[in-house]
Amino acid sequence: MKQFLSVMLCAICIGASGQNIIYDNLGKAPVGGGLEMEDYWVWGSSVIKGDDGKYHMYASRWPKYLKFHPGWMIASEIVHAVSDTPEGPYEFSDVALGARGAQYWDGRSCHNPKIVKHKDTYILYHMGSTHPFEEVTEENAHELTLSSKWCIAGRWGKRVGMATSKSPYGPWKRLDAPILDVKPNSFYSFLTSNPSPLIKEDGSVVLLFKGRSYRDDELTHTDQFIGVATAPAVEGPYKVVGDEPVFSAEKFGEVEDPHLWSDDQGFHMIAKDMRGDIIGDGNHHGGVLAHSEDGINWVLDENPLAYTREVTWDNGQTIKQGQLERPFVFVEDGKPTHIFFATMDGPGGFGNGTKTWNMVIPLKK
């Protein structure tokens, strides 16, 4: 009862004014900001300010001779890019986490980076996967489909892990095992992915993640669930809290790409509404806001719409992006200052775009 009252008081505190901490504060997106790379699909960024005063972006990329989807599943690597300002443009620096061999759990693909720092150590959370087959090249790329051997193994093998470094430039110490494995007969029995960590002042960790489970036929997987795990320290162990997801189609609505941050009012989450059940079908794949006092018990914001796919650019154009995903809220000096997205041109749908890039929108306060 005491915990319930605490969560409700948190909801009242955050939602009473009706102010929307993201949507009401979206500025104009700088044309040419963020990160775009020739000959690569670029996706999903996470940014941190380094001790050098520069802004360091970690992003996923994979070659454009592969289809955008499912190319990321079997050939993504995490790259590091640098800028003097949060808006960018960011210049490629190095490959932080690349392919390292089929025998490793993340040996073929690293994706969904989230960068944080604790004391003197940078921690790069990510999704990893592998497969035991020959590499996909320009010669056999036409064979890569969702039902191909590479993708069946690559999707099934997705797990959450992390790497550490004393410098944003690396080298990165990678782990021989994931930090969050699957569990039979759970909502994450099929895979774990899309990690979003928050390190508390005492060094403990709250980690949101995406899970899927096997269906009863044991051949197919379910839609997406969002779960929460905790750890007493960055090193772990990471344990999933409870037997039920915190977000699902049956609870609040199906969301993806959760991002977690905190301020003096508690924990905040932004995510992509997969079906429009939360923010309405008219805002297909728009953003959702939720809040929590402890990172475990979540409540939708009073005004949960975080963003739509319509972006106003600093050249005066307003464009409905083909895709607008992987929201990342950058916090500096305790205040959200920018929101980053992975985006695609075209009318929508992963197969209908010609280019992708990581874009950024300044927040007004």
Side-chain angles (χ1 to χ4, degrees), residues 22-56:
I22 299 298
Y23 187 79
D24 291 344
N25 294 293
L26 292 172
K28 296 181 179 179
V31 174
L35 175 68
E36 183 176 354
M37 301 189 74
E38 188 176 359
D39 299 326
Y40 288 95
W41 301 109
V42 176
W43 208 242
S45 64
S46 180
V47 174
I48 196 168
K49 189 175 184 179
D51 295 331
D52 56 2
K54 296 182 182 295
Y55 295 85
H56 298 264

Side-chain angles (χ1 to χ4, degrees), residues 322-345:
Q323 303 291 136
L324 194 68
E325 305 191 3
R326 301 295 303 165
F328 172 82
V329 176
F330 178 69
V331 177
E332 189 167 7
D333 298 326
K335 301 291 183 182
T337 62
H338 297 77
I339 183 168
F340 290 79
F341 294 98
T343 194
M344 176 183 277
D345 66 354

Side-chain angles (χ1 to χ4, degrees), residues 7 9 93 136 161 212 221 239 249 261 289 294 304 322 349 351:
V7 173
L9 285 171
S93 171
V136 181
R212 292 185 190 265
H221 58 76
K239 295 183 178 180
W261 80 99
L289 286 169
D294 55 8

Side-chain angles (χ1 to χ4, degrees), residues 81-96:
V82 183
S83 171
D84 291 330
T85 66
E87 293 86 356
Y90 286 79
E91 297 293 330
F92 171 77
S93 171
D94 52 86
V95 176

Side-chain angles (χ1 to χ4, degrees), residues 40-342:
Y40 288 95
W41 301 109
V42 176
W43 208 242
S45 64
S46 180
V47 174
I48 196 168
K49 189 175 184 179
D51 295 331
D52 56 2
K54 296 182 182 295
Y55 295 85
H56 298 264
M57 175 186 285
Y58 299 85
S60 304
R61 77 171 186 183
W62 57 103
K64 289 190 76 173
Y65 64 76
L66 300 174
K67 291 181 180 179
F68 175 88
H69 183 58
W72 63 272
M73 203 178 296
I74 55 96
S76 178
E77 61 185 4
I78 295 174
V79 297
H80 168 221
V82 183
S83 171
D84 291 330
T85 66
E87 293 86 356
Y90 286 79
E91 297 293 330
F92 171 77
S93 171
D94 52 86
V95 176
L97 301 179
R100 59 171 178 163
Q103 71 270 30
Y104 292 98
W105 68 273
D106 61 349
R108 296 290 199 182
S109 183
C110 290
H111 201 64
N112 294 148
K114 284 292 176 69
I115 185 72
V116 293
K117 187 182 181 186
H118 182 58
K119 296 182 178 179
D120 65 345
T121 302
Y122 292 87
I123 306 104
L124 186 55
Y125 290 81
H126 62 95
M127 179 276 290
S129 188
T130 190
H131 64 77
F133 309 111
E134 70 274 19
E135 291 191 32
V136 181
T137 64
E138 292 189 61
E139 287 68 34
N140 64 353
H142 63 280
E143 299 178 30
L144 182 66
T145 66
L146 279 172
S147 59
S148 64
K149 59 186 180 183
W150 298 282
C151 288
I152 291 172
R155 187 192 291 273
W156 173 84
K158 288 166 64 177
R159 302 290 186 269
V160 168
M162 69 179 190
T164 57
S165 175
K166 298 299 182 181
S167 165
Y169 296 90
W172 294 92
K173 182 181 179 181
R174 298 168 69 164
L175 301 181
D176 291 336
I179 62 170
L180 199 61
D181 211 333
V182 295
K183 178 183 176 181
N185 300 314
S186 72
F187 67 86
Y188 54 100
S189 63
F190 185 77
L191 60 77
T192 64
S193 186
N194 295 35
S196 184
L198 189 144
I199 302 176
K200 297 181 178 181
E201 290 183 2
D202 64 1
S204 63
V205 184
V206 174
L207 180 76
L208 295 179
F209 70 97
K210 181 178 86 173
R212 292 185 190 265
S213 64
Y214 281 99
R215 295 189 188 276
D216 290 341
D217 60 15
E218 297 188 350
L219 298 175
T220 57
H221 58 76
T222 62
D223 292 330
Q224 298 161 119
F225 303 108
I226 303 300
V228 59
T230 60
V234 168
E235 296 79 10
Y238 290 80
K239 295 183 178 180
V240 177
V241 178
D243 298 323
E244 299 294 330
V246 294
F247 273 80
S248 66
E250 294 74 31
K251 184 177 182 181
F252 299 126
E254 185 187 11
V255 301
E256 188 189 25
D257 299 344
H259 175 67
L260 174 64
W261 80 99
S262 68
D263 59 21
D264 55 7
Q265 292 182 320
F267 294 79
H268 302 273
M269 185 195 78
I270 190 169
K272 182 179 75 171
D273 189 344
M274 293 298 295
R275 307 185 187 188
D277 292 342
I278 302 173
I279 58 175
D281 290 332
N283 294 309
H284 181 63
H285 284 179
V288 173
L289 286 169
H291 56 271
S292 170
E293 189 177 71
D294 55 8
I296 295 171
N297 299 284
W298 288 88
V299 180
L300 290 173
D301 279 21
E302 181 181 346
N303 297 315
L305 175 63
Y307 60 87
T308 72
R309 283 163 51 207
E310 285 195 350
V311 172
T312 299
W313 298 87
D314 64 2
N315 63 2
Q317 289 187 303
T318 298
I319 300 173
K320 188 173 185 179
Q321 302 299 116
Q323 303 291 136
L324 194 68
E325 305 191 3
R326 301 295 303 165
F328 172 82
V329 176
F330 178 69
V331 177
E332 189 167 7
D333 298 326
K335 301 291 183 182
T337 62
H338 297 77
I339 183 168
F340 290 79
F341 294 98

